[in-house]
Amino acid sequence: MRSFGLIGYPLAHSFSAEWFAEMFRREGIRDAVYANYPLGSIEELPALLAEHPLLGFNVTAPYKRAVMDYLDQIDPTAERIGAVNCAVRQGDTWKGYNVDWIGFAESLMALTGGECPHALILGSGGAAAAAAYGLDELGMVHATVSRSKKGAGILSYEALTSELLQKYRLLINATPLGTWPDTERFPAIPYEWLTPAHMLYDMVYNPPETAFLRKGREAGASTMNGRRMLEIQARETWKLFLSACR
């Protein structure tokens, strides 16, 4: 039996195991299983891999950056992004990849309709790094907004003005705020300045409409959640997992 899984914490909100189970059924794959492995600390990863003969695993918050220290090789794209969301066993070693950016960039096109608006990325973690890489690949100008305001060029939430939001019409929530079960949390942007010209993209997919997206919809903005991103990155992940089985 080929075993795969997901690490992160918490994982009760994740649809990954259900997605892979449905894909296995649909494709008639009977020799593969995918399970959630919630880790209270990334330091638990070596023991998990020693106990479970995984061929590959996905990585979600809060370990997309920290997991890199536990892998033997990092794919150049993941190295540039500075985050890993997929690791594949290669013999006795592990190699990390990032396919989040593919899921993000491909799904974003349905929201923007081919436009290239200036974008604000809300958050500065691994998901935000993948979003920034995806926007670069799409040729979109972007800036990052973070509570910690670490790094050159990163804006604080207090710096968001009406004029700035007129310039940056695409807002991307790359934080976990609003994820089930804490569904009423949302990034602290000035929603009163949103207009029907704005587009709000939330990497969170559970619930389908977060408070962030609801506030955007109420302002007349176009909105999209992260479900399609999840599906695309899962598809790309499976391609990598298959390479480990050959």
Side-chain angles (χ1 to χ4, degrees), residues 11 18 27 33-34 58 60 84 115 118 181 186 195 204 214 218:
L11 295 180
E18 290 88 342
E27 301 295 329
V33 293
Y34 188 103
N58 285 110
T60 191
V84 161
E115 285 189 65
H118 286 22
F186 48 84
T195 71
V204 174
R214 183 183 72 243
E218 290 171 350

Side-chain angles (χ1 to χ4, degrees), residues 13 20 27 39 85 91 112 117 140 145 158 169 187 213 217 223:
H13 69 281
F20 276 99
E27 301 295 329
L39 301 182
N85 82 302
T112 63
M140 292 189 186
V145 183
E158 292 74 23
R169 296 188 296 110
L213 293 184
R217 174 177 56 79
T223 65

Side-chain angles (χ1 to χ4, degrees), residues 32-163:
V33 293
Y34 188 103
N36 287 346
Y37 297 99
L39 301 182
S41 166
I42 191 61
E43 296 173 358
E44 299 173 16
L45 180 60
L48 170 70
L49 297 179
E51 181 180 355
H52 298 275
L54 300 179
L55 291 175
F57 60 89
N58 285 110
V59 186
T60 191
Y63 302 135
K64 291 183 179 184
R65 294 189 187 274
V67 72
M68 298 174 74
D69 292 335
Y70 291 81
L71 304 175
D72 303 289
Q73 300 178 61
I74 305 295
D75 176 76
T77 297
E79 190 76 62
R80 287 194 292 272
I81 293 172
V84 161
N85 82 302
C86 176
V88 175
R89 184 189 292 275
Q90 298 182 340
D92 295 327
T93 65
W94 285 94
K95 184 171 182 178
Y97 298 85
N98 192 303
V99 293
D100 271 343
W101 80 269
I102 301 174
F104 168 74
E106 189 173 323
S107 61
L108 181 64
M109 291 297 90
L111 177 63
T112 63
E115 285 189 65
C116 289
H118 286 22
L120 290 178
I121 303 171
L122 311 179
S124 55
Y133 187 88
L135 291 172
D136 285 340
E137 290 294 298
L138 295 171
M140 292 189 186
V141 175
H142 58 86
T144 296
V145 183
S146 175
R147 290 180 302 170
S148 60
K149 203 178 179 298
K150 294 178 181 178
I154 296 181
L155 302 171
S156 68
Y157 283 91
E158 292 74 23
L160 298 182
T161 63
S162 173
E163 292 75 21

